[in-house]
Every structure is written in structure tokens, then in C-alpha cells.
Amino acid sequence: MNTLNQQTALEQAARKHTKDSHALGGDAGRLDHFYRGWASSYDLGLADGYCGRMIAAEMAAAVQTAYLARHRTAMAILDAGCGTGPVGVELESLRFRLIDGFDLSEEMAEKAQQTRAYRNVRGDVDLIGLPSDYFRASYDLTVCCGVFTLGHVGPDGLRELARVTRSNGFVIASDRKRYAEATSFEDHVRLLQDEGVLIPAQYLRNGRYAADEDAHCWVLADAQKDQSNKRTGCDQATSYR
Ligand SMILES: C[S@@+](CC[C@H](N)C(=O)[O-])C[C@H]1O[C@@H](n2cnc3c(N)ncnc32)[C@H](O)[C@@H]1O
């Protein structure tokens, strides 16, 4: 098989994997099993127009420049559901340095660790019910790309992301179009806004994401914690309101 045919075959396989992953019903055991089998070849199919990772990282960079004066290299950033680490690699290329990641799948997390873009990566961590001891309210930015997707995590996962993000920090979350429609994601965002948990700051609608589908990208400001939680040296992020 020549190189072009090989790449086409890899991209087709990636598309099939993606489609199959959408049918896993959000079941942690099935997702873990599925991604264990996909981890070794996941990156080979990424050439297939997966620009969602760049958009998430570039949104993080724009938010840092616009709202947070702390230097990028000193900003703690969490990649939730990091998979093999494509978002971390993009973040590192944009000069973020304190990048942590976690994933449900040990095998995917191991791959992320191997990119060397991350400070820490943990596998076997479920976004639904994150261990509070480790991650609590400490991140300036929390990025979640490719996880608010059919068959994966429901919109309620946003609450966990808010919990691990510091007061006046930001959550950046992509949601695929079909998922957004199927889960009424926007209504969940509105509910969290009404509850004063997360406040929408920016919204990139119908952006390119992957070859098979577009996605939206939300920038949500974390407003839920008491102001006394705010760490010295962090900025107020209020000008988006
Ligand atoms: C489509 S991949 C995206 C990975 C990576 N963020 C990227 O941009 O390529 C989805 C990832 O979400 C992880 N995942 C699914 N459900 C999860 C959960 N409940 N908690 C943590 N990770 C989860 C999977 O293991 C998988 O690595």
C-alpha cells in the first residue's frame, strides 16, 4: 500500500472509531475498554482535519491575553479528558508550561505523558466525580476538548470543571454540534449561569472541529467560589461581562 492509501486507510479507521465511540452511552466501563483498544493508533488518525485541539488551545491563549495578566508560563491549566495529549501539545506550543491532564483511560493518559507537554498526567480518573483532594479549585484555566461528545460525558460534567477551576478562572469546552442539539447543552449553560456557577464569556459557534462534524467552543468564567478563595496575584476577570 502506498503512503497516500495508508493515510486514507488510517483516516477511515479513525472515522469509524469516532462513530463507534458515539454509541457507548456514556458508560465509563465501556469507554475505558474502547479507548484502551484505540490508544495506540489514536494519533495516527489525527491528521484527519482535527482542528478542534488548536481552537481549544488558541481560545485558552486568547483568554489569558485578554483577561488574565499572570504570565502564561505560570498559569496552571488542566486538560480534562486529555486523551493522548493533542491539546496539551498545542498549549505547550503556545508557551503554556504548567499543564496537567487526566483521562478515564490509563492507556490514553500514558500516551499524553509521553508527549512531555504535561507537568502531570493521571489515568483512571472519571470527570464525573473527580477526586476532590487532588484537583480542588486550583486551575486558572480548565480545557475540555472532545469529551462533550455523543456517548461520552453529559453536560453536567461542566459542574465538575467549574469545581476544579479557581474563582475568576475560566473553563473552555468544545461541544460537537449533534451532541449540543441532542443534550440541549446551551440550556445547561444557561442553568449554570442562573445558578451563578459559570458565566458565558465567549462563544465560538459552528467552528471547524473534525472532518466529520463542526463544533461550538464555549469560554465560561468561573464565578462560583467565594472571593476569599482568590489567590494573590490572580486578576479579576470581569471585563467580559
Ligand atoms: C475523543 S477523545 C478526546 C481526547 C482529547 N481531549 C483530544 O482532544 O483528542 C475523548 C476522551 O475522553 C475520555 N473520557 C471519556 N469519558 C470520560 C470521563 N468520564 N472522564 C474522563 N475522561 C473521559 C476518553 O477516555 C478519551 O480519551
Side-chain angles (χ1 to χ4, degrees), residues 55-56 58-64 66-68 140-143 158 169-175 185 189 198-205 216-222 237 240:
I55 291 170
E58 284 165 7
M59 289 294 262
V63 163
Q64 183 271 326
Y67 300 129
L68 303 164
D140 299 299
L141 286 168
T142 300
V143 179
L158 284 173
F170 288 86
V171 171
I172 294 166
S174 65
D175 57 329
F185 196 81
V189 171
L198 287 169
I199 300 167
Q202 301 293 332
Y203 180 45
L204 200 66
R205 193 177 173 77
H216 316 303
C217 185
W218 292 87
V219 175
L220 305 162
D222 193 302
Y240 57 86

Side-chain angles (χ1 to χ4, degrees), residues 31 35 42 50 81-83 86 103-104 108 125-127 145-147 153:
L31 282 157
Y35 278 99
Y42 183 90
Y50 177 40
C82 61
D103 199 275
L104 189 62
M108 295 291 273
V125 175
D126 192 341
L127 169 58
C145 185
V147 181
V153 171

Side-chain angles (χ1 to χ4, degrees), residues 58-222:
E58 284 165 7
M59 289 294 262
V63 163
Q64 183 271 326
T65 306
Y67 300 129
L68 303 164
R70 175 181 281 188
H71 199 271
R72 229 171 253 188
T73 54
M75 187 155 291
I77 182 160
L78 177 66
D79 182 4
C82 61
T84 58
V87 174
V89 169
E90 296 296 334
L91 288 168
E92 193 200 28
S93 77
L94 293 168
R95 291 181 289 108
F96 287 100
R97 290 291 175 270
L98 306 181
I99 311 165
D100 292 341
F102 74 83
D103 199 275
L104 189 62
S105 155
E106 284 281 6
E107 289 74 11
M108 295 291 273
E110 247 170 56
K111 289 274 179 192
Q113 187 78 64
Q114 286 165 15
T115 66
R116 308 181 79 153
Y118 295 85
R119 174 175 63 171
N120 293 305
V121 185
R122 273 174 63 173
D124 197 19
V125 175
D126 192 341
L127 169 58
I128 304 302
L130 278 172
S132 58
D133 56 325
Y134 191 75
F135 291 110
R136 198 160 116 219
S138 55
Y139 289 96
D140 299 299
L141 286 168
T142 300
V143 179
C144 189
C145 185
V147 181
F148 292 116
T149 293
L150 288 174
H152 287 55
V153 171
D156 233 27
L158 284 173
R159 281 184 196 279
E160 283 296 294
L161 300 183
R163 194 176 62 71
V164 297
T165 307
R166 72 162 170 86
S167 175
N168 294 317
F170 288 86
V171 171
I172 294 166
S174 65
D175 57 329
R176 277 176 174 260
K177 267 182 76 176
R178 275 182 300 139
Y179 168 92
E181 282 155 23
T183 62
S184 305
F185 196 81
E186 201 165 341
D187 291 346
H188 286 264
V189 171
R190 214 167 289 128
L191 183 67
L192 291 174
Q193 179 174 14
D194 291 347
E195 291 177 16
V197 176
L198 287 169
I199 300 167
Q202 301 293 332
Y203 180 45
L204 200 66
R205 193 177 173 77
N206 293 340
R208 276 206 295 275
Y209 177 80
D212 62 326
E213 197 177 6
D214 291 346
H216 316 303
C217 185
W218 292 87
V219 175
L220 305 162
D222 193 302

Side-chain angles (χ1 to χ4, degrees), residues 12-24 34 38 150 152 176 178 212:
Q12 277 172 353
R15 257 180 249 194
K16 178 167 177 0
H17 268 115
T18 301
K19 193 166 170 232
D20 292 348
S21 78
H22 291 173
L24 296 172
F34 184 85
W38 191 7
L150 288 174
H152 287 55
R176 277 176 174 260
R178 275 182 300 139
D212 62 326

